[in-house]
Amino acid sequence: MDPMALTLIELGAVVFCLGLLARLAGRIGMSPIPLYLVGGLAFGAGGAVKLEGMQEFAHLSGEIGVILLLLMLGLEYTAAELFTGLRRSWQAGVLDLVLNFIPGAGLALLLGWGLVGAMVMGGVTYISSSGIAAKVITDLGRIGNRETPVVLSILVFEDLAMAVYLPILTATLAGVGFLGGLTTVGISLAVVTVVLMVALRHGHRVSQAVHSENSEVFLLNLLGAALLVAGVASALQVSAAVGAFMLGIAISGATAHSATRILEPLRDLFAAIFFVAFGLNTDPTTIPPVFGWALILAVITATTKMLTGIWAAKRAGIARPGRFRAGAALIARGEFSIVIAGLAVASGVVPDELAALATAYVLIMAILGPLAARYVEPALKAFGGSVRLPAKA
């Protein structure tokens, strides 16, 4: 068969199946991320049917998906909000980092994957899924709850931590020396600082540069700017994802709201292909040997995220039900964890078992997180006695 015809057939079938999986996820009230990963596992290396025609397209589309995910995340914040959130949440953010990075890093060392594997798995277990957390909070009608700003401030701290972590990880995976690593981190911090300063003082000009009343022009400006900035950032050995995130922060006001609306369908498409592509490159037969470790890691890090949320909400003077809701909202892992694992696997530095462990872990946590957020109040009632739960505790 003609290679182009094969690629189109496989791509069309995959995208159509993604739509069915997203519909199923919506009906059962869960994130579609686990289903996308399972779909990739079913049709990738070692799966029921191996898709070879769309491998190259899936890889490039996955890269674009990561860029759009981070761009859209940056659009959610202004530079001022980031600074305010950092001032408010730095103590909870540090606690979150320590409690949730150590379990993943410790397990990687236990399994003999070395310091690089420890750095990767620590990032996988540390970062919560902002996308899943935001969706759960919205779906459950908790946007106005007192604990929600606490949750969001911790997520903001994690996003800023990623802006430092990803360049360090990229340099480590590339095998650069100590001096080269310091140079990369220095460049990254300088770029982040400059962009935040520009966003604070000249964010309106950046917004004007990409904005247009014509939706077609606006979309082309946004996408072109995101890919250009991501490419330049990558050339500077700063993560392309961080470059896209910084661009999103620099765009503010009405332009940011319009950009979110116009980019959302495109992000959903490419992000879905990214998760499928990760699954395609993971042999499902490697998952059973590490599934037990993934389950243990899930229990430990679900507990540590709960402790983080409870402690942070308690410091903010929030009542007991709100503290538990805050902790449950942070449990889910998703897009960031897969981005980190994907970077590591693509480098060829870490063992294949790491990809399997990360996939199994994210599958568990992406399902457990929304369930915990939904049922934490009934559980609190059942095990905490007859507690009257205020709507805005």
Side-chain angles (χ1 to χ4, degrees):
M1 184 182 293
D2 177 62
M4 180 57 69
L6 178 62
T7 299
L8 291 174
I9 290 171
E10 290 184 356
L11 181 60
V14 167
V15 172
F16 184 79
C17 289
L18 288 176
L20 297 178
L21 292 174
R23 180 182 296 180
L24 174 62
R27 287 186 176 179
I28 61 180
M30 64 175 284
S31 166
I33 291 175
L35 299 184
Y36 293 158
L37 288 171
V38 170
L41 289 171
F43 297 103
V49 179
K50 188 173 182 179
L51 301 179
E52 297 181 347
M54 61 169 288
Q55 287 284 352
E56 186 174 343
F57 176 83
H59 176 72
L60 179 58
S61 298
E63 292 293 323
I64 296 174
V66 173
I67 290 169
L68 290 177
L69 279 169
L70 272 292
L71 173 65
M72 296 272 300
L73 185 63
L75 290 171
E76 296 293 324
Y77 308 114
T78 65
E81 288 171 342
L82 281 177
F83 282 120
T84 301
L86 186 59
R87 284 198 300 269
R88 291 178 178 174
S89 66
W90 72 268
Q91 291 175 311
V94 171
L95 178 68
D96 179 32
L97 174 61
V98 172
L99 288 182
N100 294 285
F101 191 94
I102 289 176
L107 179 59
L109 291 174
L110 179 65
L111 294 176
W113 294 344
L115 292 178
V116 175
M119 186 175 180
V120 173
M121 281 306 302
V124 168
T125 57
Y126 162 55
I127 188 78
S128 297
S129 170
S130 300
I132 296 177
K135 187 174 187 334
V136 166
I137 290 171
T138 302
D139 290 348
L140 297 179
R142 295 176 182 170
I143 295 248
N145 284 23
R146 287 189 60 212
E147 77 274 3
T148 298
V150 174
V151 173
L152 295 179
S153 66
I154 293 174
L155 293 175
V156 167
F157 185 95
E158 290 183 354
D159 296 337
L160 283 175
M162 284 295 103
V164 177
Y165 169 83
L166 286 177
I168 297 174
L169 177 64
T170 303
T172 303
L173 293 173
V176 300
F178 179 73
L179 184 59
L182 286 180
T183 302
T184 299
V185 173
I187 292 174
S188 173
L189 292 177
V191 169
V192 170
T193 302
V194 169
V195 171
L196 288 177
M197 291 297 103
V198 170
L200 271 174
R201 300 181 180 180
H202 307 288
H204 62 285
R205 295 182 180 176
V206 177
S207 300
Q208 289 173 357
V210 298
H211 184 75
S212 174
E213 296 299 329
N214 184 303
S215 59
E216 179 181 355
V217 174
F218 193 16
L219 174 60
L220 293 174
N221 284 346
L222 277 171
L223 185 58
L227 295 176
L228 180 61
V229 170
V232 171
S234 183
L236 293 173
Q237 293 189 328
V238 178
S239 169
V242 171
F245 178 63
M246 291 292 110
L247 175 64
I249 292 171
I251 300 172
S252 59
T255 303
H257 292 295
S258 299
T260 299
R261 176 181 52 80
I262 202 169
L263 283 175
E264 191 170 22
L266 203 61
R267 176 207 59 186
D268 292 342
L269 170 63
F270 282 101
I273 294 176
F274 163 71
F275 292 118
V276 169
F278 186 83
L280 288 173
N281 294 320
T282 303
D283 188 343
T285 61
T286 62
I287 290 181
V290 298
F291 188 80
W293 288 117
L295 196 58
I296 293 171
L297 204 55
V299 172
I300 293 173
T301 54
T303 303
T304 51
K305 281 291 182 182
M306 282 292 297
L307 291 175
T308 299
I310 290 170
W311 185 83
K314 184 178 181 180
R315 280 178 55 86
I318 295 169
R320 185 166 174 259
R323 297 173 198 169
F324 280 83
R325 289 198 297 264
L330 293 169
I331 287 176
R333 270 58 156 202
E335 61 276 9
F336 274 119
S337 297
I338 295 298
V339 167
I340 293 167
L343 288 173
V345 172
S347 72
V349 176
V350 298
D352 293 339
E353 288 83 0
L354 189 147
L357 178 60
T359 301
Y361 175 75
V362 170
L363 283 171
I364 295 170
M365 298 304 281
I367 295 171
L368 178 62
L371 289 176
R374 186 178 297 272
Y375 295 110
V376 66
E377 288 186 346
L380 194 59
K381 284 182 179 180
F383 295 101
S386 56
V387 179
R388 181 178 178 81
L389 299 178
K392 299 288 187 287

